[in-house]
Amino acid sequence: RASLLNFCKRLEACDNIECIVIECNLEPRLIHEGDYPSQTGLSGLRDVLARSENLRVFQYNALEVTSDVAHLLIGPLKGHPNVALIDLYNTNLDQQSANFVATIVKDNVCLARLNFGGNDRLDADARNSVQELLQHNEKYKNYCFKLKKKK
């Protein structure tokens, strides 16, 4: 299990970062509190995102994105000139956090894909809300939601 903070420290020496993928491949039943990134690690990732002008892809998968985490990680991507894909698959997003993400990146000129798939807390209302926020973005082509199944 790699430390997010150590990963970010290694990235400090890198120029021209185009893709950052953070993924937890542990089964949910095997994840313990200590397996989640620390606040220090998340702050380190925020700093890397803020200085990565050539970043095109940001994937943060299978780790919970609370409102605080969304502000830390997505805030630096506001107005980013090159990010084309933001992938927050299976991060337990709620509608408020999904709307925050869409609001922050809605004017990003290169954004072509926003993935909220695997987030069971999002429903058709969340999809419609995000769609409304992004409808004016010419580059934005698609999004992905896993909608709740009707019972």
Side-chain angles (χ1 to χ4, degrees):
R1 298 178 191 171
S3 158
L4 181 58
L5 182 58
N6 289 338
F7 174 71
C8 292
K9 285 181 180 179
R10 287 195 310 262
L11 289 179
E12 287 176 5
C14 299
D15 290 330
N16 203 21
I17 297 170
E18 293 185 14
C19 178
I20 295 176
V21 177
I22 309 292
E23 184 169 313
C24 178
N25 60 2
L26 296 174
E27 293 182 41
R29 65 183 176 81
L30 298 176
I31 297 176
H32 303 287
E33 185 67 30
D35 294 326
Y36 289 102
S38 68
Q39 187 69 28
T40 307
L42 290 168
S43 295
L45 182 55
R46 177 203 57 216
D47 294 344
V48 169
L49 291 169
R51 69 171 185 77
S52 298
E53 294 176 11
N54 295 313
L55 188 69
R56 298 195 38 75
V57 174
F58 176 56
Q59 290 181 252
Y60 190 87
N61 303 147
L63 290 162
E64 187 168 10
V65 173
T66 63
S67 179
D68 291 342
V69 172
H71 282 78
L72 266 174
L73 300 184
I74 304 304
L77 301 179
K78 181 176 185 167
H80 195 285
N82 295 307
V83 170
L85 166 66
I86 297 174
D87 185 338
L88 298 173
Y89 179 83
N90 193 25
T91 54
N92 203 26
L93 278 175
D94 60 16
Q95 184 163 346
Q96 180 181 354
S97 295
N99 284 342
F100 170 78
V101 170
T103 299
I104 289 296
V105 300
K106 68 181 180 165
D107 295 321
N108 288 26
V109 295
C110 288
L111 184 67
R113 183 169 167 83
L114 186 59
N115 184 8
F116 290 151
N119 287 291
D120 294 334
R121 295 169 63 186
L122 299 178
D123 58 14
D125 289 338
R127 179 194 62 209
N128 293 338
S129 178
V130 168
Q131 207 169 14
E132 284 177 25
L133 285 166
L134 296 170
Q135 68 185 347
H136 73 282
N137 186 328
E138 295 293 324
K139 284 273 205 174
Y140 182 74
K141 300 288 188 263
N142 52 41
Y143 59 89
C144 179
F145 276 91
K146 175 183 172 189
L147 297 178
K148 292 179 183 176
K149 294 182 181 169
K150 298 189 183 213
K151 295 181 180 182

